[in-house]
Amino acid sequence: MKNRILLSFAAAISLTLGSGAAEARDLWTKAQAKSWYDAQPWLVGSNYTPATAINELEMWQAETFDPATIDKELGWAEKLNMKTMRVFLHNLPWENDAAGFKLRIDQFLTIAAKHKIKPMFVLFDSCWDPNPVAGPQHPPIPGVHNSGWVQAPGAARLADKSQYPKLEGYVKDIVGTFGKDPRVLAWDVWNEPNNGGGGNYVATPNKNALVAGLLDKVFDWAQSVDPVQPLTSGVWTGDHWDQTAKLDAVERIQIARSDVLSFHDYSWPETFLVRARQMLSYGRPVLCTEYMARGNGSTFDGSLPIAKKLNIAMINWGFVDGKTQTRLPWDSWKKPYTYEEPPIWFHEVLRADGKPYRVAETDLITRLAAAPKGVVPVAN
């Protein structure tokens, strides 16, 4: 195992330096995308951060990487018949310790494979704190949703084109190292790239234009190392995803460059169905890579059976309640829940001890995942 990874590191370094680079692959045809998707089970899972990590940095940095908790929690996911997890990476651990970071990714993949879970990795992210700093992370802000999550690459690197070679090296090395690894499901190259950020943070000037200029390059860099897994980036805002003229510059890139399409929806089942059909209109496999915000009308009960009938993969936000505190709603940034808990949890499937927040939800996930593709079994 160690020798295999070291050889992969050497290959990735040669790719990053431009010597012996693999021939860049093209966008998958619709037939190629369909063939890949047909070979997968119905994909259901969660966006995953271990309960002991407040963000991507705390998850992946050597001092706080927690394989014991990851093993325990992915074991709980296996019992629910979950087949995938969407997992956020970050460029800073690579910049500071590329070899160690890749060894930890390999260790994570070994644990996930033990539990029959193939993760989708996210390379960049436009949400929450625009000023990521490596090293020890601050503790959770009491009563606040996702109070420590950080953007990647962050506002400073996004605005400074002299930093782009580092970002290119990160993408080519990580995707080059694991781009033919059968334990990896897919690559989400940028989470909600045209998101302003959220929270109470200062907005990044000219962010959408900067992201639109960089996103195309990120797809190029990932394609250049010829991964066997699909690339995607999910649309998340707007009402007319099937009408190219109504997409912004970022969304046009997301739709045009994704091998398989993906989207986010945190609304009522009726809206989920409309958006799902819009995405299916492109004739490519579709993955919903974020959904389920109970207080916003997005629930397992409402969205999951629709997606199962339409053969859309489903990855909800949040798995185990922990330091991200995403059981708390988005409005906690304006009114922190320090006096009492909200009446219902916003995200998360399990409590910290592994017990379901709602048994009916975990029963539904398990039952739907066990049934053939496209089949929604009748409840007992």
Side-chain angles (χ1 to χ4, degrees):
M1 177 69 72
K2 186 175 181 180
N3 288 338
R4 177 175 62 79
I5 292 298
L6 290 174
L7 288 171
S8 297
F9 293 170
I13 290 169
S14 69
L15 288 168
T16 304
L17 296 176
S19 60
E23 183 178 351
R25 71 164 173 83
D26 295 326
L27 175 75
W28 280 0
T29 65
K30 292 179 182 179
Q32 286 174 308
K34 182 179 184 300
S35 177
W36 172 84
Y37 196 63
D38 287 347
Q40 310 303 320
W42 181 57
L43 296 166
V44 64
S46 297
N47 283 266
Y48 177 70
T49 308
T52 52
I54 194 173
N55 60 24
E56 322 94 304
L57 297 178
E58 199 160 64
M59 177 176 180
W60 290 111
Q61 291 177 149
E63 296 77 11
T64 46
F65 183 63
D66 189 355
T69 294
I70 292 168
D71 187 28
K72 176 182 67 177
E73 293 175 352
L74 294 189
W76 294 339
E78 181 183 11
K79 291 179 180 178
L80 299 181
N81 284 339
M82 287 185 168
K83 305 299 183 187
T84 189
M85 290 281 161
R86 183 168 176 254
V87 180
F88 287 70
L89 306 177
H90 201 286
N91 52 289
L92 287 182
W94 180 85
E95 290 182 23
N96 295 328
D97 178 21
F101 184 32
K102 289 181 287 189
L103 285 171
R104 290 187 288 279
I105 293 173
D106 180 72
Q107 189 174 359
F108 177 86
L109 287 170
T110 298
I111 295 169
K114 169 186 170 182
H115 297 294
K116 305 178 180 65
I117 289 170
K118 295 178 69 171
M120 165 189 282
F121 285 129
V122 184
L123 297 173
F124 294 109
D125 183 13
S126 284
C127 295
W128 305 109
D129 188 345
N131 300 303
V133 179
Q137 302 298 293
H138 68 74
I141 299 172
V144 176
H145 170 110
N146 233 0
S147 63
W149 200 262
V150 292
Q151 296 184 34
R157 281 174 171 76
L158 183 61
D160 183 359
K161 292 186 178 180
S162 71
Q163 297 294 315
Y164 287 11
K166 289 182 182 179
L167 304 181
E168 179 180 3
Y170 159 66
V171 172
K172 288 184 175 181
D173 194 6
I174 295 299
V175 181
T177 301
F178 298 101
K180 292 180 174 58
D181 193 319
R183 299 172 298 175
V184 176
L185 178 72
W187 301 94
D188 189 333
V189 303
W190 202 313
N191 177 63
E192 298 190 359
N194 52 349
N195 192 316
N200 300 330
Y201 301 106
V202 175
T204 301
N206 201 30
K207 183 177 182 180
N208 214 49
L210 290 169
V211 169
L214 185 56
L215 180 59
D216 229 7
K217 291 180 173 59
V218 175
F219 272 105
D220 286 342
W221 299 335
Q223 283 185 334
S224 75
V225 292
D226 195 27
V228 299
Q229 309 98 342
L231 308 177
T232 193
S233 178
V235 294
W236 68 283
T237 187
D239 299 315
H240 303 284
W241 294 334
D242 54 344
Q243 299 178 36
T244 305
K246 294 185 178 181
L247 301 176
D248 71 13
V250 169
E251 291 163 340
R252 291 191 188 101
I253 296 168
Q254 291 176 289
I255 296 292
R257 302 290 310 262
S258 291
D259 297 311
V260 297
L261 298 179
S262 55
F263 74 101
H264 297 173
D265 179 77
Y266 285 115
S267 52
W268 296 94
E270 296 85 352
T271 303
F272 176 87
L273 178 58
V274 169
R275 288 177 165 173
R277 286 175 171 164
Q278 288 178 358
M279 298 304 291
L280 289 167
S281 71
Y282 288 96
R284 290 181 177 272
V286 174
L287 299 80
C288 177
T289 50
E290 288 187 27
Y291 78 104
M292 211 288 289
R294 297 178 185 91
N296 215 50
S298 177
T299 64
F300 290 112
D301 316 60
S303 298
L304 208 55
I306 295 171
K308 185 68 191 294
K309 288 179 183 177
L310 297 176
N311 194 25
I312 291 175
M314 293 293 280
I315 306 174
N316 73 281
W317 187 271
F319 186 53
V320 179
D321 179 40
K323 291 176 76 172
T324 62
Q325 299 182 156
T326 56
R327 73 182 185 282
L328 305 172
W330 297 317
D331 69 9
S332 60
W333 280 90
K334 297 179 180 179
K335 49 178 184 182
Y337 288 80
T338 54
Y339 180 72
E340 60 184 6
E341 288 283 309
I344 59 171
W345 277 18
F346 202 65
H347 299 309
E348 312 300 0
V349 181
L350 303 178
R351 301 179 187 275
D353 61 2
K355 294 179 180 177
Y357 172 66
R358 289 185 63 222
V359 173
E361 292 176 341
T362 53
D363 286 350
L364 178 66
I365 294 167
T366 305
R367 181 162 49 86
L368 292 183
K373 281 185 174 180
V375 175
V376 178
V378 177
N380 295 329

